[in-house]
Amino acid sequence: MAFYTWCLWILQGFWILQVLTTLSFSLSEPSVWAGALTDKSILIRLWDITEEVTLSVCDNAQSFLYRVDGGNTTRWDRSSHSPVLTPPSPRWWLLELSELPSGCSVELKGGVEASYHTLQSNSHSDEGPSTTKLAFGSCDRFDLGTSTLTVYKHIQEEGVDLMVHLGDLHYRDIEENRTEPFTQAFMEVLGNAKRQVLLKKVPMDYVWNDHDFGPNNADRNNPARLASRQAFSEFVPHYPMGDEFS
């Protein structure tokens, strides 16, 4: 009887741990992910934003273009007030900025607090050659502890201009050929508060490996490959690609 009771306690403990883990991921916090950075443009993915977002840019930007979630492109000029963006109805949406000056700061305030800058171009610098500081990483084993989250903080403190993530952003090993599990994984993993310390300051370019493309050792025979590629195309802030579904 004592052994049976002891087993029940263990099972209850595992159940409580699973519930707490699920709750920790389900908390909706304003989150951002910037990418596709150039010396003139940036894409910013936003999700779980419930309040208006005010957009401001560097003083030397006389005008620039912006577009929200694939809608109409708007040209802003210095004679106008800072754009105030109302989150559209979807849970996640995209902000596209282009025709910005080289090295221009971009700030989001209100519904989410984040700040970035476009890359510095040598052709626009009066101080000689410019430098770009990059950070590289892969294999985010968040399920094994907080070590990778600490790394994110250190990268942010190094003042890098761009992080390049080389895959295994998560280890969900998704086998379903549906986009929702992949999109949900992006939002849950990258919405973590400690990851957002970096992502609210540093753009991150990303390409999958195997565990975040499908199951372990996933290749072109991955049963979820079409959904994975579509989720990447729709959610990840990425540079222009050719035929994304060839």
Side-chain angles (χ1 to χ4, degrees):
M1 184 67 180
F3 177 76
Y4 176 76
T5 303
W6 180 74
C7 289
L8 284 178
W9 285 346
I10 292 177
L11 290 174
Q12 289 174 350
F14 278 121
W15 180 81
I16 292 173
L17 179 61
Q18 185 177 18
V19 170
L20 291 175
T21 302
T22 302
L23 287 175
S24 68
F25 278 126
S26 64
L27 295 176
S28 297
E29 296 291 339
S31 301
V32 294
W33 175 9
L37 185 68
T38 73
D39 61 341
K40 297 179 181 178
S41 61
I42 185 173
L43 303 184
I44 305 174
R45 171 66 64 197
L46 304 96
W47 64 98
D48 292 334
I49 311 293
T50 58
E51 300 178 8
E52 292 182 331
V53 176
T54 300
L55 171 64
S56 60
V57 299
C58 56
D59 292 337
N60 63 322
Q62 298 305 310
S63 70
F64 67 91
L65 299 178
Y66 70 93
R67 184 168 70 156
V68 175
D69 221 30
N72 295 327
T73 300
T74 302
R75 178 173 291 280
W76 175 90
D77 61 53
R78 185 57 63 182
S79 63
S80 307
H81 294 291
S82 296
V84 177
L85 311 176
T86 301
S89 55
R91 182 181 176 188
W92 44 274
W93 46 289
L94 184 69
L95 173 61
E96 303 172 63
L97 305 176
S98 59
E99 296 191 11
L100 290 163
S102 167
C104 180
S105 61
V106 175
E107 292 190 9
L108 305 179
K109 297 181 179 179
V112 66
E113 304 286 327
S115 61
Y116 310 102
H117 60 82
T118 57
L119 294 175
Q120 184 69 50
S121 171
N122 288 344
S123 61
H124 293 83
S125 176
D126 297 327
E127 301 177 359
S130 61
T131 60
T132 299
K133 193 171 186 179
L134 304 177
F136 293 85
S138 66
C139 305
D140 249 326
R141 292 310 304 261
F142 176 52
D143 56 319
L144 297 183
T146 59
S147 60
T148 56
L149 301 182
T150 303
V151 168
Y152 271 67
K153 180 176 181 293
H154 291 327
I155 293 173
Q156 191 271 327
E157 291 173 347
E158 284 294 320
V160 301
D161 298 300
L162 176 66
M163 179 176 178
V164 181
H165 200 293
L166 300 175
D168 285 345
L169 186 63
H170 59 76
Y171 282 70
R172 299 294 176 88
D173 292 335
I174 300 168
E175 297 187 48
E176 298 178 79
N177 194 29
R178 298 188 303 115
T179 59
E180 290 81 3
F182 290 97
T183 302
Q184 188 66 25
F186 286 139
M187 289 191 289
E188 289 178 352
V189 171
L190 295 176
N192 178 279
K194 291 186 178 180
R195 280 188 173 86
Q196 283 292 307
V197 169
L198 173 69
L199 296 179
K200 288 179 177 178
K201 297 290 184 182
V202 180
M204 183 178 76
D205 287 333
Y206 155 76
V207 64
W208 60 58
N209 195 357
D210 57 341
H211 292 280
D212 44 357
F213 178 54
N216 185 30
N217 295 323
D219 56 17
R220 64 180 180 177
N221 298 314
N222 168 22
R225 63 188 181 280
L226 295 180
S228 179
R229 293 169 71 175
Q230 183 176 347
F232 184 100
S233 177
E234 293 179 352
F235 191 86
V236 176
H238 61 272
Y239 297 103
M241 296 188 289
D243 187 351
E244 298 178 4
F245 298 98
S246 61

